[in-house]
Amino acid sequence: GRPEMKAFADLTWRGQSRRLRHLALQALRLYELEVDRVSWVSRWTNDILRVRTRDGAVYALRLCCPGWRTREDLLLEVAWLEALQRDVDLNTPRIVHSRDGSPFVEVGGEDGAEPRRCFLVHWSRGIRLGLRLTEANLYKMGNLFAQLHAHGVAFVQPSGLPVKKMDGVYVRGGEEILLDALHRAKVAPRIMMLFERTIEKVDAAFAQRYADPAGFRVIHNDLHHDNINLYRGRLYPFDFEDVIWGYPVQDIATAMQDLMDDTMPDAFEPLQDAFRAGYECHSPWPERYPGEVDMFRMGFVLKGANNKAFDGEEALHQHVLAVAPMVEAFFNTGQLRKL
């Protein structure tokens, strides 16, 4: 008989890439495409390949990470992308359906190969917006967010899909261990108290926001500047895999937290102001109180500290010392800024 295939986790990086490429080619045979060339774009959580066909068309193929997102998550992403394509002109990804009309396919499972859901869209034009972080472009980004949010509030998802809510810091995975007895012993009590009180404030903000259904809608949930391309002055948002139900302030918080991380302290404020001006050109600013966006941004800071707790005592200690002044300034002022 044929030798048993190695488990995916036991393969070298090169061996994993070969197997994934084989699965990608297997998936592409299920589409009406004459494939000319397939090349790697990234191997991160999901695996992304660039596909060029003989007629010169270019596509992005996502091999979804097993266990990362559910089939229902993918169906919600498909439903919103198709509604956006039908209703508005926002340069959102265009899904390619397989020969049998399916918006995604599943391959693998034979000979021990791990099954993967595969999702094919037309290639997004341009360069990453993160390489062009100007006030003019952040204005456009704010306007894009407002238009997506306006569409999201009217979107009705297919019946039978669960309504998944972004109603907590750890909804998308992860266990809070930062405040358990083991990790409390590794951080100075004063700093741990600061983190504990800040977590209470963020949890209260989630509870307050989700107690009121007004404004609840589908949101992108990961639309930072490196998930948007810029081409001939227009923005092309992509990577809708984190689509979930929530509120515009949370969507904005994701984008602004990544913006602060990737800019110098003196550059962040003008860029954030330009984003807000672009948003307000289309829709009212969605905060219910000043600093609500920063409150949800702090959720990402806390989750980052919690993640460091999984990396060991020294990693946690160094990280907490580094971010504690920023957390304290936020606790006292309600503003989250680099120091």
Side-chain angles (χ1 to χ4, degrees):
R2 297 176 65 179
E4 187 175 334
M5 291 181 72
K6 277 187 178 182
F8 186 79
D10 294 334
L11 296 171
T12 63
W13 180 266
R14 183 173 292 181
Q16 289 181 355
S17 297
R18 276 198 301 265
R19 186 174 295 179
L20 290 169
R21 182 182 174 82
H22 172 76
L23 289 176
L25 294 174
Q26 187 181 342
L28 290 169
R29 285 194 286 271
L30 301 176
Y31 292 87
E32 290 286 358
L33 300 174
E34 293 187 30
V35 176
D36 178 50
R37 188 162 65 249
V38 176
S39 55
W40 284 107
V41 175
S42 65
R43 283 208 52 209
W44 192 240
T45 304
N46 296 312
D47 302 286
I48 311 294
L49 296 102
R50 190 174 191 264
V51 179
R52 181 179 289 277
T53 57
R54 290 179 185 174
D55 61 3
V58 185
Y59 305 89
L61 179 68
R62 181 206 304 162
L63 276 62
C64 302
C65 177
W68 175 245
R69 296 288 180 256
T70 66
R71 185 174 183 274
E72 289 74 21
D73 292 329
L74 193 48
L75 286 171
L76 177 59
E77 176 184 4
V78 165
W80 195 30
L81 282 175
E82 292 189 333
L84 284 164
Q85 281 292 316
R86 182 180 64 245
D87 300 337
V88 290
D89 179 19
L90 293 178
N91 305 316
T92 49
R94 289 183 291 138
I95 300 170
V96 182
H97 288 206
S98 67
R99 282 196 180 96
D100 67 3
S102 301
F104 56 89
V105 300
E106 188 165 327
V107 294
E110 311 89 13
D111 299 327
E114 297 78 3
R116 298 267 176 154
R117 295 188 189 96
C118 302
F119 183 62
L120 186 69
V121 296
H122 288 263
W123 187 260
S124 180
R125 294 175 166 188
I127 63 168
R128 297 294 170 91
L129 185 62
L131 298 173
R132 298 289 186 273
L133 292 178
T134 66
E135 291 179 35
N137 285 335
L138 264 291
Y139 182 95
K140 292 176 184 178
M141 183 175 166
N143 196 261
L144 169 66
F145 269 63
Q147 292 183 74
L148 285 170
H149 292 161
H151 186 275
V153 77
F155 171 75
V156 179
Q157 73 175 23
S159 60
L161 284 184
V163 177
K164 295 189 176 181
K165 304 176 184 180
M166 193 62 199
D167 57 358
V169 173
Y170 299 101
V171 167
R172 281 303 206 180
E175 175 190 359
E176 186 178 84
I177 64 172
L178 182 63
L179 297 180
D180 66 20
L182 174 65
H183 294 94
R184 280 181 179 278
K186 315 229 180 260
V187 179
R190 187 188 72 83
I191 294 178
M192 190 54 77
M193 179 67 73
L194 169 67
F195 276 82
E196 184 173 24
R197 292 172 67 192
T198 305
I199 288 170
E200 288 172 358
K201 289 184 74 167
V202 172
D203 287 345
F206 272 100
Q208 179 182 352
R209 178 50 88 160
Y210 278 82
D212 184 352
F216 188 59
R217 70 196 72 194
V218 69
I219 57 173
H220 184 290
N221 199 38
D222 195 28
L223 195 55
H224 53 80
H225 48 264
D226 282 329
N227 276 341
I228 302 171
N229 277 350
L230 176 67
Y231 180 72
R232 294 183 176 177
R234 298 197 68 187
L235 301 187
Y236 289 73
F238 59 92
D239 194 11
F240 279 66
E241 76 145 347
D242 287 316
V243 167
I244 197 168
W245 288 84
Y247 293 88
V249 284
Q250 295 178 275
D251 218 18
I252 293 169
T254 302
M256 294 301 99
Q257 185 57 25
D258 281 335
L259 182 66
M260 188 187 78
D261 286 345
D262 288 354
T263 55
M264 298 299 289
D266 59 347
F268 172 70
E269 206 83 45
L271 292 174
Q272 180 180 239
D273 291 345
F275 176 95
R276 178 166 179 167
Y279 194 101
E280 291 182 316
C281 179
H282 186 278
S283 300
W285 189 244
E287 283 186 317
R288 291 186 185 163
Y289 53 86
E292 189 181 16
V293 166
D294 283 11
M295 185 69 73
F296 286 108
R297 285 177 55 213
M298 177 50 65
F300 295 111
V301 175
L302 296 171
K303 188 172 185 179
N306 187 73
N307 290 344
K308 284 296 178 183
F310 288 95
D311 295 339
E313 179 178 346
E314 184 59 27
L316 173 64
H317 180 70
Q318 294 296 330
H319 182 79
V320 165
L321 284 180
V323 302
M326 183 171 66
V327 176
E328 186 167 25
F330 165 80
F331 190 85
N332 292 330
T333 67
Q335 276 201 330
L336 178 56
R337 300 291 184 271
K338 278 182 178 176
L339 302 180

